[in-house]
């Protein structure tokens, strides 16, 4: 098991990563000083796979445990579901010392975290992420939210968990399309911050795809470390944290125009390549860097070509999403693999050019 300490003052906490560590949950909770009542929030599939064993272990160790089930899917990351959970918590006599444990992907983590941040003005929150995306991205950084009025993450808070337990063995049951989605964030993190880790991914991608446990552990550990270090420096996203949005500007526009038919990871994958091409066209990133990114994204079974869709609508969605001044747009660009920065002065016409030509 590997441990990362996220240093966030009074909200500092540990991130534990390793295969089979779900079995250590009781020990880790006790070590963190959490006792008493635990409410597990999960979906029916994850409950069957991991939730019931977890509940049994906690009960044997003397915890009072209730499981609250939420159906799968982004639709349930809503105020309505949060409202139902507040009722269920009250019915189960949850008080200010009751811990809420999110067992699942980013949907469960964001929703349960939002509920934990607001129920009785905040109760202890535990993240037990079971998707690659949740282990490397959504469980870290304290952003919790629900969607509202068609807008993702519209209502939310910054609320740090007391600990994060990432059992990499749970990824063995994850559908391969969900693995690819998570890999987009893994590649993004390496590309913006750590060339050595990027090289590790280039060398070990086949083993990661084969779910080799030591490789998965290293991948989750390195990616989680990149995110935790960025969040430590800029918890509230006033500056540096925005580099985590690399590939997400065009990615979000593609998701919007496709009405979410194109999955997040795939949209971000293309967005990363487009941003690298913009960096190259501006003379900031060399061709070798662009090519390395393109090859790794392709090997991870993610798209390297712009999906066939309305380019005008994509540009409109992009302009809608971002502040434009004098036909210039703010963009995260790459200087080199492992080195991203925020540019304020990217010409909209260059973005348009890159979206139109599918090859550099
Ligand atoms: N808070 C943040 O900083 C942050 C960052 C990125 C994304 N997000 C949010 O995360 C959400 C997406 O999360 P996601 O990609 O994890 O999707 P998800 O939570 O919808 O999970 C995907 C699917 O995988 C299933 N699943 C989960 N773990 C499994 C396992 N081990 N075995 C088999 N099936 C399993 C789930 O039941 C679900 O159907 C979005 O709502 C997004 O907004 C939040
Ligand atoms: Zn993302």
């Amino acid at each position: 098991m590997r441990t990362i300490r996220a240093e966030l003052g009074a909200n500092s906490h540990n991130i534990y990563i390793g295969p089979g560590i779900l079995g250590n949950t009781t020990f880790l909770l006790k070590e963190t000083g959490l006792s008493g009542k635990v409410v597990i929030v999960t979906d029916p599939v994850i409950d069957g796979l991991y939730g019931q064993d977890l509940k049994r272990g906690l009960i044997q160790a003397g915890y009072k445990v209730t499981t609250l089930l939420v159906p799968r899917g982004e639709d349930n990351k809503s105020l309505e579901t949060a409202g139902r959970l507040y009722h269920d918590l009250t019915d189960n006599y949850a008080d200010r010392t009751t811990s809420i444990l999110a067992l699942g992907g980013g949907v469960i983590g964001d929703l349960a975290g939002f509920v934990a941040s607001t129920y009785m003005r905040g109760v202890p929150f535990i993240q037990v992420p079971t998707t690659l995306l949740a282990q490397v991205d959504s469980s870290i950084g304290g952003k919790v939210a629900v969607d509202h009025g068609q807008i993702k993450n519209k209502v939310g808070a910054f609320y740090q968990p007391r600990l994060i337990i990432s059992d990499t063995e749970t990824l063995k049951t994850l559908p391969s399309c969900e693995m690819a989605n998570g890999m987009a964030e893994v590649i993004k993190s390496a590309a913006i911050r750590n060339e050595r880790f990027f090289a590790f991914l280039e060398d070990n991608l086949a083993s990661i795809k084969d779910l080799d446990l030591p490789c998965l552990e290293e991948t989750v550990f390195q990616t989680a470390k990149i995110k935790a270090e960025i969040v430590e420096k800029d918890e509230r996203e006033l500056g540096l944290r925005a580099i985590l949005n690399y590939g997400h500007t065009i990615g979000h526009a593609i998701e919007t125009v496709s009405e979410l038919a194109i999955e997040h990871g795939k949209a971000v994958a293309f967005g990363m390549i487009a941003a690298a091409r913009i960096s190259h066209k501006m003379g900031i990133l060399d061709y070798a860097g662009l090519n390395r990114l393109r090859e790794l994204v392709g090997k991870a079974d993610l798209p390297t070509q712009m999906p066939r869709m309305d380019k005008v609508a994509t540009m409109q969605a992009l302009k809608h999403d971002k502040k434009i001044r004098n036909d210039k747009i703010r963009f995260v660009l790459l200087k080199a693999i492992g080195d991203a920065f925020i540019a304020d002065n990217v010409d909209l016409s260059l973005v348009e050019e890159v979206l139109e030509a599918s090859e550099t």
Side-chain angles (χ1 to χ4, degrees):
M1 180 172 76
R2 324 248 315 249
T3 307
I4 297 168
R5 178 82 182 158
E7 293 289 354
L8 294 160
N11 297 324
S12 296
H13 59 269
N14 285 346
I15 304 170
Y16 299 99
I17 296 158
I21 66 168
L22 255 182
N24 303 354
T25 303
T26 310
F27 171 76
L28 295 173
L29 256 58
K30 287 204 166 143
E31 214 178 48
T32 312
L34 297 168
S35 56
K37 213 178 271 180
V38 176
V39 173
I40 300 173
V41 178
T42 190
D43 74 35
V45 175
I46 305 165
D47 189 45
L49 287 167
Y50 307 108
Q52 286 165 24
D53 282 351
L54 179 67
K55 184 175 182 180
R56 215 169 296 123
L58 285 166
I59 289 172
Q60 272 167 11
Y63 285 91
K64 282 207 163 107
V65 189
T66 305
T67 301
L68 300 181
L69 294 179
V70 173
R72 304 171 108 181
E74 181 78 26
D75 287 357
N76 296 292
K77 217 178 96 175
S78 65
L79 277 177
E80 200 187 343
T81 311
R84 184 174 65 69
L85 291 173
Y86 298 137
H87 271 297
D88 293 347
L89 287 166
T90 310
D91 287 350
N92 283 284
Y93 306 102
D95 63 21
R96 256 182 290 165
T97 63
T98 302
S99 302
I100 293 185
L101 185 155
L103 175 70
V107 166
I108 291 289
D110 281 12
L111 169 72
F114 177 77
V115 168
S117 75
T118 44
Y119 183 72
M120 300 187 96
R121 297 197 185 85
V123 296
F125 176 44
I126 303 154
Q127 285 270 24
V128 185
T130 61
T131 63
L132 180 60
L133 180 131
Q135 294 188 354
V136 301
D137 189 358
S138 62
S139 68
I140 303 161
K143 283 188 184 176
V144 296
V146 293
D147 305 334
H148 190 57
Q150 309 293 326
I151 300 179
K152 281 195 70 174
N153 305 320
K154 182 79 180 181
V155 183
F158 285 96
Y159 194 68
Q160 296 293 345
R162 297 287 297 273
L163 77 162
I164 304 174
I165 303 171
S166 288
D167 183 341
T168 44
E169 212 167 332
T170 61
L171 303 179
K172 295 221 161 188
T173 55
L174 195 65
S176 58
C177 61
E178 297 296 345
M179 272 305 282
N181 269 332
M183 277 312 289
E185 308 291 351
V186 168
I187 294 171
K188 172 200 77 180
S189 305
I192 61 173
R193 212 64 181 161
N194 188 334
E195 193 276 334
R196 271 182 60 190
F197 176 45
F198 194 94
F200 169 86
L201 295 173
E202 291 175 317
D203 291 344
N204 293 283
L205 198 73
S207 307
I208 297 170
K209 277 162 68 178
D210 283 348
L211 305 174
D212 170 78
L213 286 173
C215 275
L216 279 180
E217 180 176 327
E218 177 69 7
T219 301
V220 173
F221 176 79
Q222 292 296 345
T223 314
K225 197 152 149 271
I226 291 167
K227 179 149 185 193
E229 281 173 5
I230 291 173
V231 170
E232 278 175 356
K233 293 199 172 88
D234 177 23
E235 189 182 357
R236 297 282 161 141
E237 197 165 326
L238 303 170
L240 178 72
R241 188 167 175 171
I243 66 168
L244 288 164
N245 294 330
Y246 180 66
H248 283 61
T249 303
I250 290 177
H252 281 151
I254 292 173
E255 277 185 281
T256 306
V257 174
S258 78
E259 291 175 349
L260 302 185
I262 297 176
E263 290 162 282
H264 182 72
K266 294 199 170 96
V268 167
F270 180 76
M272 288 196 287
I273 290 171
R277 279 166 55 198
I278 292 169
S279 311
H280 178 59
K281 278 182 185 287
M282 288 174 76
I284 301 165
L285 174 71
D286 65 16
Y287 189 74
L290 167 62
N291 228 16
R292 278 180 79 185
L293 182 71
R294 200 163 20 203
E295 283 199 1
L296 187 59
V297 165
K299 275 201 237 161
D301 303 326
L302 290 160
T304 56
Q305 303 276 328
M306 174 76 176
R308 240 181 263 151
M309 62 195 305
D310 187 342
K311 309 282 186 317
V312 177
T314 310
M315 277 311 285
Q316 263 165 3
L318 199 92
K319 287 181 195 164
H320 185 76
D321 202 33
K322 289 268 153 183
K323 278 202 192 91
I324 313 274
R325 252 187 236 136
N326 302 330
D327 283 334
K328 307 262 189 206
I329 184 168
R330 206 174 147 85
F331 235 87
V332 185
L333 298 179
L334 286 189
K335 270 185 214 154
I337 295 295
D339 191 1
F341 71 106
I342 301 161
D344 279 315
N345 59 344
V346 176
D347 281 326
L348 265 182
S349 58
L350 194 55
V351 179
E352 218 161 340
E353 205 180 299
V354 161
L355 285 183
E356 257 152 34
S358 50
E359 286 293 334
T360 310

